[in-house]
C-alpha cells in the first residue's frame, strides 16, 4: 500500500480538528471568570462555578428528571426493540419491509413532526402532559436504536447454534436463555446505552410532550435562547459531556468485542 | 457437567415451546405484536391525525379549525412569504450537504484507503464521539466560538485576518452584524452537527472499492487523478448520496439551531413551530410539515436508484 499524499493527510487532519475543537472550548469556558459575555481569551480562571452549580437545586431537579425519563424510556425501548429484532432478523414475509420502515420512521422524520403529532394525539385523547408523556415520546424514537443493534447481532448469530441446542433437548425458552441471550447480551447493552444517551439529550420531542417539567436539555435550551446565567450554563455543558461520554464509549467497546460472536464464522 | 445441563421443562411450558418451534409464524406474530401496537397505533396514528389536518383550514376570525376538506391550506404554501421560507430552507440544506461532503470526503478517504487497523479504530471513535455527544452542548460550543467577542474573532484578529472577516460579514446574504447572526454561522453549525452522518456512509462505500480495480486502472496507464475520477469517485457516490439523505433531512427539520444562531428570517422548522404554537394554525403547520416528508420521499426514491441503501 502506498503512502497517503500530504494534501490528503492535511485535509483529513483539518476535518478532525473541525470535529473536535469546539468541544474543547466548552471545557475552557467552564473555568472562566467572565460572567457577562463569551469573551475570548477568558480574563481569568476559577473553579467557583462548579460550587455554584453544586448548590443549585433547580439544576439537580432537571438532571434527576432527565435520568429517570432516560432510564424508563430505555427499558421500554429495550423490550420493544428486542422483540421487534427477534421477529424481523431472519423472517421473510410479506410486509416485512414496511414494518422495518415503521421502526425507523420516528428517527427519520424531523423531530418537530414527531413532537407535534404526539402532542396533538395526547390532546385528542385528553392525556395531561406529565412525566409519562415525556417517557412515551422518548421510547418511541429509542426503539430503533435498540432494534438496529439487536438485528445486526442476531443476523451474525449462526442459526445452527439454535438448532444444535434444540437437537440436544433444550426447549425454546431454554435455548433463548442459554444460547441466544448470552450471544446478543452485549449488543442489547450497547443499544440501551445509546438509547439512554439519545433520551438524556433529546430536546425537540420533549418540548412538545412535556408540561411544566423541565428536563436538563429543556433547561439548557432556554439558557441558549436567552442567556441569563452564562457561567452556570458553561459548567452544566461540561457535566452533560461527561454524562453522555461514558455510555457512548462503553457502547463502542461492547459492540466491537461482539464481532466475534460464537458461530459467526460458519 | 450434569449440573450445567438444565432438565427439559415438563407440561404446559414444554407444550408452549413445541408450539412456538413448530409454528414459526405464530412466534413472529407474538414477538411483533407489542412493538407494532406501540408504533403502529400510538405513533403512526398521531402522525396521520396531525398531517391529515393539512386538508382543513383555519377560520380567520374565530381562529378555529374548519373541518371541511379543502386544498386552500396546501395552496397557501405557494404564497410568496411561505414559498420564500421553503426556498431558503432547501438552499441551506443543500449548502450544508455540499459542505459536509467536501469536508468529510478526505477524512473518509484517508481512513478507508491508508489507515491501519489501529488508526481505523481511532477513526471510528473520533467520528462516533461527536456524533453521539449532546446536540445542545455542541450548539452551545459554537455559540461561544461565533460570538462577536468569541474565539473565532479573536484568532482572526491575531492572525491579521480581522479585515477579511469584516469583509465577509459585509457581503450581502452570507454576512451579518456578527458570525452568530449570519447564514454563514448557521450553515457552519449545521455542517458541524451533521458531518459524522456524512462521513460514515462515505467511508463504508469507499471501503468497498476493490483494490484490484484501482491497480488495474494504474496498470492500464491511468494517472492517479484519472483513476480517482473514473473509478473511485463513481463507486463512492452511493455513499455520498446516503450521507446526503441524513444531512439534508436533518437540516430541513431543525428549528433549534436557527433560533440560536442565524438571521431573523424564518426557516421551515421555525415556521412550523410558530404556526402550531402562538399562531395556533395547525392546518398550515401540517401543510408545512408535509414538505420535508415529500422532499425526503423524492430524495429516497432517487437515492434508491444509485444504490445508496447498500452504503448505509
Amino acid at each position: 500500500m502506498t503512502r497517503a499524499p500530504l494534501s490528503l493527510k492535511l485535509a483529513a487532519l483539518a476535518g478532525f480538528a473541525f470535529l473536535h475543537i469546539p468541544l474543547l472550548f466548552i471545557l475552557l469556558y467552564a473555568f472562566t471568570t467572565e460572567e457577562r459575555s463569551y469573551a475570548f481569551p477568558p480574563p481569568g480562571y476559577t473553579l467557583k462555578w462548579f460550587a455554584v452549580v453544586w448548590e443549585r437545586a433547580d439544576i439537580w431537579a432537571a438532571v434527576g428528571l432527565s435520568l429517570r425519563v432516560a432510564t424508563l424510556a430505555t427499558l421500554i425501548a429495550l423490550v420493544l426493540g428486542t422483540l421487534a429484532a427477534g421477529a424481523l432478523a431472519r423472517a421473510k414475509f410479506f410486509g416485512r419491509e414496511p414494518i422495518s420502515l415503521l421502526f425507523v420512521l420516528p428517527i427519520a422524520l424531523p423531530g418537530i413532526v414527531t413532537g407535534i403529532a404526539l402532542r396533538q394525539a395526547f390532546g385528542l385523547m385528553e392525556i395531561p402532559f406529565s412525566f409519562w408523556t415525556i417517557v412515551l415520546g422518548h421510547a418511541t424514537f429509542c426503539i430503533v436504536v435498540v432494534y438496529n443493534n439487536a438485528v445486526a447481532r442476531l443476523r451474525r448469530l449462526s442459526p445452527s447454534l439454535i438448532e444444535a441446542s434444540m437437537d440436544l433437548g433444550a426447549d425454546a425458552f431454554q435455548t433463548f436463555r442459554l444460547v441466544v441471550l448470552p450471544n446478543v447480551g452485549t449488543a442489547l447493552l450497547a443499544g440501551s446505552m445509546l438509547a439512554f444517551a439519545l433520551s438524556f439529550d433529546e430536546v425537540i420531542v420533549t418540548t412538545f410532550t412535556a408540561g411544566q417539567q423541565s428536563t436538563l436539555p429543556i433547561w439548557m435550551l432556554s439558557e441558549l435562547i436567552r442567556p441569563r446565567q452564562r457561567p452556570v450554563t458553561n459548567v452544566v455543558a461540561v457535566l452533560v459531556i461527561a454524562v453522555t461520554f461514558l455510555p457512548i464509549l462503553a457502547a463502542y467497546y461492547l459492540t466491537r468485542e461482539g464481532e466475534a460472536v460464537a458461530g459467526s464464522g460458519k | 457437567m450434569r449440573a450445567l445441563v438444565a432438565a427439559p421443562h415438563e407440561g404446559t411450558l414444554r407444550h408452549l415451546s413445541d408450539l412456538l418451534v413448530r409454528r414459526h409464524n405464530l412466534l413472529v406474530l407474538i414477538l411483533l405484536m407489542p412493538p407494532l401496537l406501540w408504533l403502529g397505533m400510538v405513533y403512526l396514528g398521531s402522525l396521520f391525525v396531525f398531517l391529515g389536518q393539512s386538508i382543513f383550514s383555519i377560520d380567520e376570525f374565530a381562529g378555529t379549525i374548519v373541518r371541511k376538506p379543502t386544498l386552500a391550506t396546501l395552496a397557501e404554501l405557494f404564497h410568496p412569504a411561505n414559498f420564500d421560507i421553503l426556498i431558503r430552507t432547501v438552499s441551506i440544506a443543500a449548502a450544508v450537504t455540499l459542505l459536509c461532503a467536501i469536508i468529510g470526503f478526505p477524512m473518509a478517504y484517508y481512513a478507508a484507503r491508508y489507515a491501519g487497523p489501529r488508526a481505523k479504530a481511532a477513526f471510528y471513535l473520533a467520528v462516533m464521539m461527536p456524533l453521539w455527544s449532546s446536540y445542545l452542548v455542541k450548539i452551545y460550543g459554537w455559540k461561544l466560538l461565533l460570538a462577536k467577542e468569541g474565539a473565532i474573532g479573536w484568532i482572526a484578529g491575531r492572525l491579521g485576518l480581522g479585515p477579511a472577516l469584516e469583509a465577509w460579514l459585509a457581503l450581502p446574504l452570507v454576512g451579518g452584524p456578527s458570525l452568530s447572526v449570519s447564514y454563514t454561522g448557521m450553515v457552519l453549525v449545521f455542517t458541524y452537527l451533521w458531518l459524522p452522518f456524512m462521513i460514515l456512509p462515505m467511508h463504508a462505500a469507499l471501503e468497498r472499492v476493490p483494490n484490484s480495480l484501482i491497480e488495474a486502472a494504474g496498470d492500464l496507464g491511468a494517472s492517479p487523478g484519472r483513476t480517482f475520477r473514473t473509478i473511485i469517485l463513481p463507486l463512492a457516490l452511493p455513499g455520498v448520496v446516503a450521507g446526503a439523505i441524513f444531512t439534508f433531512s436533518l437540516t430541513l427539520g431543525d428549528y433549534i439551531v436557527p433560533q440560536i444562531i442565524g438571521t431573523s428570517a424564518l426557516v421551515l422548522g421555525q415556521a412550523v413551530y410558530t404556526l402550531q404554537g402562538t399562531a395556533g394554525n395547525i392546518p398550515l403547520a401540517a401543510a408545512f410539515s408535509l414538505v420535508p416528508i415529500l422532499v425526503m420521499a423524492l430524495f429516497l426514491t432517487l437515492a434508491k436508484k444509485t444504490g445508496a441503501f447498500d452504503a448505509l
Side-chain angles (χ1 to χ4, degrees):
Chain A
M1 187 173 277
T2 49
R3 289 173 59 81
L6 186 68
S7 56
L8 175 66
K9 264 189 194 165
L10 286 179
L13 215 60
F16 282 109
F18 174 66
L19 213 46
H20 287 271
I21 287 177
L23 288 179
L24 297 180
F25 275 93
I26 294 175
L27 283 179
L28 181 75
Y29 271 91
F31 301 98
T32 182
T33 47
E34 172 66 52
E35 285 184 47
R36 291 184 206 296
S37 76
Y38 299 119
F40 186 88
Y45 297 93
T46 171
L47 281 170
K48 92 170 171 194
W49 303 118
F50 284 86
V52 172
V53 169
W54 184 257
E55 300 286 324
R56 287 281 296 268
D58 60 328
I59 292 174
W60 289 109
V63 172
L65 179 65
S66 283
L67 287 175
R68 271 179 289 141
V69 167
T71 309
L72 212 58
T74 302
L75 282 177
I76 297 173
L78 179 63
V79 172
L80 295 181
T82 312
L83 287 176
L88 295 181
R90 288 196 185 269
K92 286 189 188 67
F93 57 89
F94 180 74
R96 189 184 169 282
E97 288 284 311
I99 290 177
S100 36
L101 180 71
L102 175 64
F103 290 131
V104 186
L105 209 57
I107 216 153
L109 288 185
I112 188 167
V113 176
T114 303
I116 299 177
L118 286 174
R119 185 181 185 82
Q120 294 268 303
F122 291 146
L124 215 62
M125 292 186 281
E126 291 174 4
I127 300 173
F129 297 108
S130 66
F131 172 75
W132 294 102
T133 49
I134 307 179
V135 172
L136 222 65
H138 283 201
T140 305
F141 59 76
C142 283
I143 292 175
V144 60
V145 183
V146 177
Y147 169 79
N148 275 346
N149 269 276
V151 152
R153 183 67 64 84
L154 280 171
R155 289 208 176 121
R156 283 209 300 265
L157 181 69
S158 166
S160 53
L161 275 182
I162 294 165
E163 284 160 19
S165 157
M166 297 220 178
D167 287 348
L168 293 169
D171 65 30
F173 304 108
Q174 288 169 319
T175 304
F176 175 74
R177 191 160 50 85
L178 298 170
V179 177
V180 178
L181 209 51
N183 272 304
V184 298
T186 49
L188 294 186
L189 197 56
S192 312
M193 297 210 164
L194 293 179
F196 187 91
L198 196 65
S199 162
F200 187 78
D201 183 43
E202 215 287 333
V203 63
I204 296 184
V205 175
T206 321
T207 314
F208 295 101
T209 54
Q212 296 303 313
Q213 303 86 347
S214 173
T215 62
L216 195 59
I218 298 266
W219 183 89
M220 259 201 90
L221 181 61
S222 64
E223 278 301 312
L224 274 169
I225 294 171
R226 269 175 236 86
R228 271 187 292 251
Q229 327 163 52
R230 296 179 200 230
V232 174
T233 315
N234 292 338
V235 173
V236 171
V238 172
L239 293 181
V240 172
I241 294 177
V243 170
T244 43
F245 186 82
L246 290 175
I248 299 159
L249 207 62
Y252 172 75
Y253 281 106
L254 284 171
T255 42
R256 256 168 60 85
E257 280 162 20
E259 270 160 27
V261 181
S264 60
K266 279 151 209 143
Chain B
M1 264 321 275
R2 274 208 78 80
L4 272 179
V5 181
H9 289 299
E10 297 292 336
T12 29
L13 213 54
R14 181 84 211 186
H15 284 300
L16 187 61
S17 162
D18 290 346
L19 184 71
L20 290 180
V21 173
R22 263 184 291 127
R23 307 275 304 265
H24 187 72
N25 286 340
L26 185 67
L27 176 67
V28 169
L29 191 72
I30 292 174
L31 289 177
L32 211 49
M33 233 354 116
L36 258 192
L37 278 179
W38 182 293
L39 286 173
M41 305 268 290
V42 177
Y43 182 63
L44 219 51
S46 19
L47 214 53
F48 276 122
V49 168
F50 169 51
L51 295 175
Q53 296 189 55
S54 58
I55 57 162
F56 296 147
S57 60
I58 195 113
D59 187 308
E60 298 268 342
F61 300 104
T64 50
I65 297 169
V66 183
R67 298 185 178 279
K68 214 164 67 186
T70 168
L71 289 175
T73 307
L74 287 168
E76 262 185 68
L77 289 179
F78 295 97
H79 286 191
N82 293 336
F83 200 64
D84 269 358
I85 294 177
L86 299 184
I87 295 292
R88 185 178 305 128
T89 312
V90 170
S91 315
I92 292 171
V96 169
T97 302
L98 194 68
L99 215 54
C100 280
I102 291 172
I103 298 175
F105 195 86
M107 302 164 76
Y109 188 69
Y110 182 84
R113 296 209 52 79
Y114 297 103
R118 286 180 68 89
K120 225 162 239 181
F123 165 80
Y124 270 118
L125 213 52
V127 177
M128 292 306 279
M129 288 309 302
L131 173 83
W132 282 98
S133 48
S134 168
Y135 164 79
L136 284 174
V137 168
K138 284 185 278 191
I139 301 175
Y140 190 60
W142 277 93
K143 199 177 162 83
L144 299 175
L145 284 171
L146 294 172
K148 212 176 176 68
E149 71 276 15
I152 290 183
W154 184 82
I155 292 168
R158 277 294 159 110
L159 296 176
L161 292 172
L165 188 63
E166 292 290 317
W168 179 264
L169 285 175
L171 291 175
L173 200 64
V174 295
S178 86
L179 278 174
S180 57
V181 278
S182 68
Y183 282 119
T184 310
M186 196 200 290
V187 168
L188 260 179
V189 176
F190 274 133
T191 305
Y192 173 78
L193 285 173
W194 316 138
L195 182 59
F197 292 95
M198 178 62 99
I199 296 175
L200 289 175
M202 272 201 300
H203 175 256
L206 283 167
E207 283 255 277
R208 274 203 287 266
V209 178
N211 259 328
S212 54
L213 269 185
I214 295 166
E215 280 161 18
D219 291 346
L220 292 170
S223 65
R226 181 150 183 207
T227 308
F228 183 79
R229 275 197 314 277
T230 55
I231 308 281
I232 297 171
L233 216 50
L235 287 174
L237 196 66
V240 180
V241 175
I245 293 172
F246 289 108
T247 54
F248 209 81
S249 84
L250 287 167
T251 314
L252 280 187
D254 198 285
Y255 75 98
I256 304 266
V257 173
Q259 229 175 329
I260 296 164
I261 288 154
T263 64
S264 54
L266 291 182
V267 298
L268 198 149
Q270 285 170 299
V272 174
Y273 186 73
T274 25
L275 282 170
Q276 67 85 36
T278 42
N281 192 345
I282 292 289
L284 192 53
F288 263 112
S289 302
L290 280 174
V291 175
I293 297 173
L294 287 179
V295 170
M296 287 324 292
L298 192 72
F299 203 145
L300 287 173
T301 335
L302 292 177
K304 213 163 188 165
K305 291 197 175 133
T306 68
F309 290 102
D310 303 324
L312 282 178

